[in-house]
Amino acid sequence: MTRAYKFDSPSDHNLDSLTQMFAKVAKHLTVVDHELIQDELAFQTQFDDDQLPVGFIHGDLFKDNVLMVDGQISGIIDFYSGGHDYLLRDVAITVNDWCCEHDVLNSEKMHALLAGYERFRPFEALEKHRWWVMLRMAALRFWLSRLIHQFHSPAGELTQQKNPLLFKNLLIKHREHAYI
């Protein structure tokens, strides 16, 4: 069992990492995208989340990292982005992939996923308060990581290129709405 094990590997999903990721792609961006990312980073600095529950997170719990057999989860792969981080971040990352359709969050799916999660670990009050902020941060992180892959993938790399615009558009939608 891993419940008692202390994972010392830090996650790369924090604000410092996002700022470093932004620096790697900034010269490739339009003025509008540059300003959007700068504004979002400034927004995210307003929140001190040191009181949020932490533990080991997968950090990339997208549909393509979950193996299914007969409609049941049979395995989870790709722990490359895993590390010690806020548990809420892992849920936000998961919702941003599993509950979005055509760059729009499906609130019915989101509420079902969150209700299922809370059957095992209820959210604390601060997590509920920070929910929409974490959705935004998770969208920003994957927009930036996909931009890095787009602009800085080594020749011959076998990594699948994914569309960064999906997460840019999702971030914009998250900035327009606060989800409860």
Side-chain angles (χ1 to χ4, degrees):
M1 295 297 282
T2 59
R3 287 185 187 204
Y5 185 78
K6 171 78 166 114
F7 292 93
D8 291 327
S9 56
S11 163
D12 68 348
H13 292 266
N14 59 40
L15 197 53
D16 289 337
S17 293
L18 295 182
T19 302
Q20 292 170 17
M21 293 169 82
F22 175 49
K24 290 179 182 179
V25 298
K27 69 180 180 181
H28 301 285
L29 301 176
T30 66
V31 171
V32 172
D33 286 352
H34 199 276
E35 289 174 354
L36 174 60
I37 294 170
Q38 282 184 312
D39 187 63
E40 186 61 28
L41 288 170
F43 169 79
Q44 292 290 337
T45 63
Q46 299 175 56
F47 301 95
D48 176 15
D49 292 329
D50 287 343
Q51 301 303 312
L52 289 173
V54 296
F56 186 83
I57 70 166
H58 184 277
D60 191 17
L61 199 54
F62 281 48
K63 292 176 220 164
D64 59 356
N65 289 327
V66 177
L67 306 175
M68 305 288 277
V69 173
D70 296 327
Q72 299 293 314
I73 295 174
S74 64
I76 297 174
I77 61 172
D78 191 7
F79 284 83
Y80 177 77
S81 297
H84 194 75
D85 204 332
Y86 304 120
L87 300 175
L88 187 63
R89 190 174 330 270
D90 222 15
V91 180
I93 290 166
T94 304
V95 163
N96 275 344
D97 181 56
W98 287 73
C99 302
C100 288
E101 300 165 345
H102 312 291
D103 304 339
V104 177
L105 186 70
N106 179 320
S107 62
E108 186 176 317
K109 285 184 178 182
M110 179 188 69
H111 289 294
L113 190 146
L114 296 176
Y117 181 88
E118 286 202 278
R119 285 186 14 226
F120 297 95
R121 191 189 80 76
F123 290 111
E124 294 181 3
L126 183 58
E127 289 177 297
K128 290 178 182 179
H129 184 68
R130 292 285 194 265
W131 174 240
W132 65 284
V133 175
M134 197 63 78
L135 279 175
R136 288 171 61 161
M137 185 177 244
L140 175 62
R141 194 264 186 218
F142 283 94
W143 179 24
L144 289 170
S145 68
R146 288 179 177 193
L147 286 171
I148 287 172
H149 284 286
Q150 179 180 335
F151 296 122
H152 299 290
S153 288
E157 182 180 33
L158 296 177
T159 304
Q160 179 185 6
Q161 292 289 327
K162 296 183 179 178
N163 186 356
L165 292 178
L166 296 173
F167 282 97
K168 172 190 172 183
N169 294 339
L170 187 57
L171 173 61
I172 291 168
K173 296 277 195 252
H174 287 337
R175 287 167 57 98
E176 295 169 354
H177 300 90
Y179 306 104
I180 298 173

